[in-house]
mmCIF file of all heavy atoms in Angstrom:
data_model
loop_
_atom_site.group_PDB
_atom_site.id
_atom_site.type_symbol
_atom_site.label_atom_id
_atom_site.label_comp_id
_atom_site.label_asym_id
_atom_site.label_seq_id
_atom_site.Cartn_x
_atom_site.Cartn_y
_atom_site.Cartn_z
ATOM 1 N N HIS G 1 98.240 97.849 105.244
ATOM 2 C CA HIS G 1 99.632 97.981 104.882
ATOM 3 C C HIS G 1 99.930 99.120 103.948
ATOM 4 O O HIS G 1 101.077 99.536 103.774
ATOM 5 C CB HIS G 1 100.168 96.666 104.315
ATOM 6 C CG HIS G 1 100.485 95.597 105.303
ATOM 7 N ND1 HIS G 1 99.516 94.719 105.693
ATOM 8 C CD2 HIS G 1 101.543 95.358 106.086
ATOM 9 C CE1 HIS G 1 99.985 93.941 106.637
ATOM 10 N NE2 HIS G 1 101.252 94.267 106.873
ATOM 11 N N ALA G 2 98.930 99.705 103.382
ATOM 12 C CA ALA G 2 99.089 100.845 102.418
ATOM 13 C C ALA G 2 99.679 102.041 103.174
ATOM 14 O O ALA G 2 100.303 102.893 102.575
ATOM 15 C CB ALA G 2 97.764 101.191 101.744
ATOM 16 N N THR G 3 99.361 102.117 104.475
ATOM 17 C CA THR G 3 99.833 103.301 105.226
ATOM 18 C C THR G 3 100.723 102.961 106.415
ATOM 19 O O THR G 3 101.263 103.868 107.008
ATOM 20 C CB THR G 3 98.590 104.036 105.839
ATOM 21 O OG1 THR G 3 97.882 103.144 106.611
ATOM 22 C CG2 THR G 3 97.661 104.614 104.691
ATOM 23 N N ASN G 4 100.906 101.664 106.697
ATOM 24 C CA ASN G 4 101.574 101.280 107.962
ATOM 25 C C ASN G 4 102.466 100.119 107.621
ATOM 26 O O ASN G 4 101.979 99.032 107.220
ATOM 27 C CB ASN G 4 100.549 100.959 109.089
ATOM 28 C CG ASN G 4 101.217 100.728 110.412
ATOM 29 O OD1 ASN G 4 102.441 100.600 110.482
ATOM 30 N ND2 ASN G 4 100.435 100.650 111.427
ATOM 31 N N ASN G 5 103.755 100.265 107.768
ATOM 32 C CA ASN G 5 104.736 99.107 107.454
ATOM 33 C C ASN G 5 104.603 98.011 108.512
ATOM 34 O O ASN G 5 104.805 96.841 108.177
ATOM 35 C CB ASN G 5 106.155 99.718 107.427
ATOM 36 C CG ASN G 5 106.386 100.670 106.436
ATOM 37 O OD1 ASN G 5 105.963 101.816 106.506
ATOM 38 N ND2 ASN G 5 107.089 100.290 105.374
ATOM 39 N N PHE G 6 104.249 98.390 109.746
ATOM 40 C CA PHE G 6 104.333 97.434 110.833
ATOM 41 C C PHE G 6 103.081 97.457 111.716
ATOM 42 O O PHE G 6 103.201 97.830 112.912
ATOM 43 C CB PHE G 6 105.627 97.632 111.627
ATOM 44 C CG PHE G 6 106.863 97.900 110.877
ATOM 45 C CD1 PHE G 6 107.614 99.087 111.010
ATOM 46 C CD2 PHE G 6 107.277 96.954 109.917
ATOM 47 C CE1 PHE G 6 108.736 99.255 110.234
ATOM 48 C CE2 PHE G 6 108.420 97.152 109.132
ATOM 49 C CZ PHE G 6 109.138 98.354 109.339
ATOM 50 N N PRO G 7 101.942 97.088 111.210
ATOM 51 C CA PRO G 7 100.743 97.239 112.032
ATOM 52 C C PRO G 7 100.689 96.316 113.242
ATOM 53 O O PRO G 7 100.008 96.560 114.187
ATOM 54 C CB PRO G 7 99.587 96.924 111.049
ATOM 55 C CG PRO G 7 100.285 96.057 109.929
ATOM 56 C CD PRO G 7 101.634 96.636 109.857
ATOM 57 N N GLU G 8 101.355 95.171 113.201
ATOM 58 C CA GLU G 8 101.407 94.300 114.380
ATOM 59 C C GLU G 8 102.202 94.960 115.518
ATOM 60 O O GLU G 8 101.954 94.598 116.654
ATOM 61 C CB GLU G 8 102.052 92.938 114.015
ATOM 62 C CG GLU G 8 103.475 92.957 113.636
ATOM 63 C CD GLU G 8 103.658 93.115 112.112
ATOM 64 O OE1 GLU G 8 102.945 93.898 111.522
ATOM 65 O OE2 GLU G 8 104.625 92.494 111.592
ATOM 66 N N PHE G 9 103.103 95.955 115.187
ATOM 67 C CA PHE G 9 103.764 96.667 116.260
ATOM 68 C C PHE G 9 102.819 97.687 116.890
ATOM 69 O O PHE G 9 102.575 97.789 118.050
ATOM 70 C CB PHE G 9 105.011 97.393 115.716
ATOM 71 C CG PHE G 9 106.087 96.479 115.095
ATOM 72 C CD1 PHE G 9 107.098 97.046 114.389
ATOM 73 C CD2 PHE G 9 105.980 95.078 115.212
ATOM 74 C CE1 PHE G 9 108.053 96.207 113.836
ATOM 75 C CE2 PHE G 9 106.977 94.324 114.663
ATOM 76 C CZ PHE G 9 108.019 94.864 113.945
ATOM 77 N N THR G 10 102.266 98.557 115.960
ATOM 78 C CA THR G 10 101.398 99.627 116.460
ATOM 79 C C THR G 10 100.095 99.038 117.136
ATOM 80 O O THR G 10 99.571 99.636 118.109
ATOM 81 C CB THR G 10 100.994 100.576 115.292
ATOM 82 O OG1 THR G 10 100.408 99.807 114.229
ATOM 83 C CG2 THR G 10 102.172 101.346 114.792
ATOM 84 N N GLY G 11 99.628 97.947 116.582
ATOM 85 C CA GLY G 11 98.393 97.331 117.173
ATOM 86 C C GLY G 11 98.610 96.863 118.558
ATOM 87 O O GLY G 11 97.620 96.645 119.344
ATOM 88 N N ARG G 12 99.869 96.637 119.000
ATOM 89 C CA ARG G 12 100.115 96.140 120.334
ATOM 90 C C ARG G 12 100.719 97.270 121.189
ATOM 91 O O ARG G 12 100.597 97.285 122.450
ATOM 92 C CB ARG G 12 101.149 94.981 120.285
ATOM 93 C CG ARG G 12 100.491 93.704 119.791
ATOM 94 C CD ARG G 12 101.511 92.670 119.424
ATOM 95 N NE ARG G 12 100.893 91.348 119.192
ATOM 96 C CZ ARG G 12 100.396 90.969 118.084
ATOM 97 N NH1 ARG G 12 100.364 91.817 117.008
ATOM 98 N NH2 ARG G 12 99.812 89.733 117.945
ATOM 99 N N LEU G 13 101.500 98.246 120.642
ATOM 100 C CA LEU G 13 102.282 99.169 121.469
ATOM 101 C C LEU G 13 101.836 100.586 121.443
ATOM 102 O O LEU G 13 102.127 101.330 122.325
ATOM 103 C CB LEU G 13 103.784 99.113 120.907
ATOM 104 C CG LEU G 13 104.414 97.724 120.938
ATOM 105 C CD1 LEU G 13 105.793 97.889 120.329
ATOM 106 C CD2 LEU G 13 104.433 97.138 122.265
ATOM 107 N N CYS G 14 101.110 100.983 120.381
ATOM 108 C CA CYS G 14 100.616 102.403 120.360
ATOM 109 C C CYS G 14 99.538 102.604 121.324
ATOM 110 O O CYS G 14 98.592 101.765 121.437
ATOM 111 C CB CYS G 14 100.225 102.690 118.938
ATOM 112 S SG CYS G 14 99.610 104.390 118.682
ATOM 113 N N PRO G 15 99.540 103.763 122.074
ATOM 114 C CA PRO G 15 98.402 104.047 122.992
ATOM 115 C C PRO G 15 97.106 104.489 122.314
ATOM 116 O O PRO G 15 96.187 104.768 122.975
ATOM 117 C CB PRO G 15 99.016 105.164 123.866
ATOM 118 C CG PRO G 15 100.044 105.762 122.983
ATOM 119 C CD PRO G 15 100.563 104.693 122.152
ATOM 120 N N ALA G 16 97.152 104.460 120.998
ATOM 121 C CA ALA G 16 95.918 104.701 120.187
ATOM 122 C C ALA G 16 95.364 106.063 120.284
ATOM 123 O O ALA G 16 94.188 106.245 120.741
ATOM 124 C CB ALA G 16 94.890 103.619 120.536
ATOM 125 N N PRO G 17 96.034 107.119 119.778
ATOM 126 C CA PRO G 17 95.332 108.448 119.634
ATOM 127 C C PRO G 17 94.204 108.340 118.673
ATOM 128 O O PRO G 17 93.281 109.135 118.778
ATOM 129 C CB PRO G 17 96.487 109.347 119.075
ATOM 130 C CG PRO G 17 97.530 108.376 118.526
ATOM 131 C CD PRO G 17 97.413 107.191 119.323
ATOM 132 N N CYS G 18 94.137 107.324 117.841
ATOM 133 C CA CYS G 18 93.013 107.148 116.897
ATOM 134 C C CYS G 18 91.694 106.881 117.700
ATOM 135 O O CYS G 18 90.656 107.418 117.352
ATOM 136 C CB CYS G 18 93.314 105.990 115.956
ATOM 137 S SG CYS G 18 93.730 104.462 116.783
ATOM 138 N N GLU G 19 91.830 106.100 118.761
ATOM 139 C CA GLU G 19 90.668 105.792 119.566
ATOM 140 C C GLU G 19 90.205 106.983 120.437
ATOM 141 O O GLU G 19 88.990 107.214 120.557
ATOM 142 C CB GLU G 19 90.910 104.620 120.505
ATOM 143 C CG GLU G 19 91.184 103.278 119.710
ATOM 144 C CD GLU G 19 91.223 102.102 120.652
ATOM 145 O OE1 GLU G 19 91.048 102.218 121.823
ATOM 146 O OE2 GLU G 19 91.537 100.950 120.147
ATOM 147 N N ALA G 20 91.182 107.776 120.845
ATOM 148 C CA ALA G 20 90.848 108.989 121.595
ATOM 149 C C ALA G 20 90.082 109.924 120.695
ATOM 150 O O ALA G 20 89.237 110.832 121.142
ATOM 151 C CB ALA G 20 92.079 109.651 122.164
ATOM 152 N N ALA G 21 90.445 109.901 119.450
ATOM 153 C CA ALA G 21 89.782 110.922 118.426
ATOM 154 C C ALA G 21 88.512 110.310 117.739
ATOM 155 O O ALA G 21 87.891 110.983 116.935
ATOM 156 C CB ALA G 21 90.802 111.317 117.375
ATOM 157 N N CYS G 22 88.172 109.025 118.084
ATOM 158 C CA CYS G 22 87.009 108.441 117.554
ATOM 159 C C CYS G 22 85.733 109.189 117.876
ATOM 160 O O CYS G 22 85.623 109.629 119.098
ATOM 161 C CB CYS G 22 86.862 106.956 118.011
ATOM 162 S SG CYS G 22 85.432 106.075 117.427
ATOM 163 N N VAL G 23 84.823 109.328 116.979
ATOM 164 C CA VAL G 23 83.578 110.140 117.264
ATOM 165 C C VAL G 23 82.793 109.521 118.358
ATOM 166 O O VAL G 23 82.164 110.167 119.230
ATOM 167 C CB VAL G 23 82.738 110.249 116.033
ATOM 168 C CG1 VAL G 23 81.388 110.847 116.378
ATOM 169 C CG2 VAL G 23 83.433 111.213 115.011
ATOM 170 N N LEU G 24 82.901 108.169 118.502
ATOM 171 C CA LEU G 24 82.134 107.474 119.618
ATOM 172 C C LEU G 24 82.802 107.650 120.942
ATOM 173 O O LEU G 24 82.249 107.283 121.961
ATOM 174 C CB LEU G 24 82.104 105.961 119.318
ATOM 175 C CG LEU G 24 81.282 105.538 118.087
ATOM 176 C CD1 LEU G 24 81.264 104.014 117.937
ATOM 177 C CD2 LEU G 24 79.844 106.055 118.222
ATOM 178 N N ALA G 25 83.942 108.404 120.978
ATOM 179 C CA ALA G 25 84.639 108.758 122.248
ATOM 180 C C ALA G 25 84.127 110.050 122.825
ATOM 181 O O ALA G 25 84.538 110.426 123.912
ATOM 182 C CB ALA G 25 86.100 108.703 122.123
ATOM 183 N N ILE G 26 83.258 110.714 122.046
ATOM 184 C CA ILE G 26 82.798 112.069 122.551
ATOM 185 C C ILE G 26 81.994 111.883 123.840
ATOM 186 O O ILE G 26 82.135 112.635 124.730
ATOM 187 C CB ILE G 26 81.906 112.707 121.460
ATOM 188 C CG1 ILE G 26 82.758 113.036 120.224
ATOM 189 C CG2 ILE G 26 81.300 113.974 122.007
ATOM 190 C CD1 ILE G 26 81.984 113.656 119.065
ATOM 191 N N SER G 27 81.116 110.883 123.811
ATOM 192 C CA SER G 27 80.258 110.641 125.018
ATOM 193 C C SER G 27 80.247 109.207 125.484
ATOM 194 O O SER G 27 80.218 108.377 124.635
ATOM 195 C CB SER G 27 78.791 111.026 124.666
ATOM 196 O OG SER G 27 77.914 110.671 125.691
ATOM 197 N N PRO G 28 80.336 108.944 126.772
ATOM 198 C CA PRO G 28 80.281 107.560 127.305
ATOM 199 C C PRO G 28 78.998 106.853 126.860
ATOM 200 O O PRO G 28 78.972 105.619 126.796
ATOM 201 C CB PRO G 28 80.363 107.749 128.807
ATOM 202 C CG PRO G 28 80.946 109.122 128.971
ATOM 203 C CD PRO G 28 80.511 109.942 127.835
ATOM 204 N N GLU G 29 77.966 107.622 126.561
ATOM 205 C CA GLU G 29 76.661 106.999 126.208
ATOM 206 C C GLU G 29 76.789 106.289 124.858
ATOM 207 O O GLU G 29 75.871 105.417 124.577
ATOM 208 C CB GLU G 29 75.564 108.117 126.147
ATOM 209 C CG GLU G 29 75.304 108.773 127.520
ATOM 210 C CD GLU G 29 74.227 109.823 127.413
ATOM 211 O OE1 GLU G 29 73.678 110.011 126.261
ATOM 212 O OE2 GLU G 29 73.936 110.490 128.436
ATOM 213 N N ALA G 30 77.818 106.553 124.074
ATOM 214 C CA ALA G 30 77.998 105.892 122.768
ATOM 215 C C ALA G 30 78.534 104.548 122.951
ATOM 216 O O ALA G 30 78.738 103.787 121.958
ATOM 217 C CB ALA G 30 78.822 106.729 121.860
#
């Protein structure tokens, strides 16, 4: 909540650019 007023909204509705930028997304082997 320090950075996000409504995490229950983003956790359900955002397509998650955070996950696309996760280092484990570099290779399927991860």
Side-chain angles (χ1 to χ4, degrees):
H1 282 92
T3 58
N4 188 349
N5 298 72
F6 315 122
E8 64 270 40
F9 301 169
T10 53
R12 287 168 168 82
L13 304 178
C14 181
C18 54
E19 293 188 8
C22 175
V23 170
L24 294 181
I26 295 177
S27 170
E29 296 178 3

